[in-house]
Amino acid sequence: MLRFTEEHEWLRLDGDVATVGITAHAAEQLGDLVFVELPKVGAALTKGASAAVVESVKAASDVYAPLDGEVTEVNDAVVDAPETVGSDPQGAGWLYRMRLADTAAFDALLDEAAYAALPK
């Protein structure tokens, strides 16, 4: 099950660990990505704080932590090939995984229908 934020991040929950990336809409708006900066494994993230940076030929954008938690894994493959975030944002282009401090908070995020209904 996927959940989304209004800041165009997506999350997929497996147990208490969420995989996080940017949505296809965000990737499309950014255009060709040329750089990705990921958080460090073990970093404590606070909901709404900057967790990563994606930079395109148009602009650099922060990727915000969707919930509180600790980074457990990062996708080093997107550092070497940032275009993967744009070509497969909800697959191979995931950015990092985090152990959620409160898994119940996941359910409070937007479901696919609510995200699709957001003005873009």
Side-chain angles (χ1 to χ4, degrees):
M1 174 187 313
L2 286 177
R3 293 290 186 192
F4 301 86
T5 70
E6 292 182 9
E7 291 74 33
H8 307 290
E9 290 97 13
W10 62 264
L11 293 81
R12 181 178 302 114
L13 190 62
D14 182 13
D16 62 350
V17 175
T19 301
V20 180
I22 64 172
T23 65
H25 172 75
E28 182 180 312
Q29 294 300 307
L30 286 165
D32 295 331
L33 294 177
V34 295
F35 178 77
V36 175
E37 181 181 318
L38 300 173
K40 296 196 181 310
V41 171
L45 300 180
T46 302
K47 180 180 178 180
S50 179
V53 175
V54 290
E55 184 175 334
S56 71
V57 295
K58 294 179 180 177
S61 296
D62 287 323
V63 177
Y64 300 103
L67 296 170
D68 295 342
E70 179 182 334
V71 177
T72 59
E73 183 178 354
V74 296
N75 186 1
D76 288 324
V78 298
V79 173
D80 296 333
E83 66 276 7
T84 305
V85 176
S87 64
D88 192 11
Q90 291 179 204
W94 64 276
L95 299 177
Y96 61 92
R97 293 190 168 116
M98 63 186 295
R99 185 174 318 284
L100 301 182
D102 176 13
T103 55
F106 177 83
D107 293 330
L109 297 174
L110 302 171
D111 62 18
E112 290 190 66
Y115 178 74
L118 283 179
K120 296 184 175 80

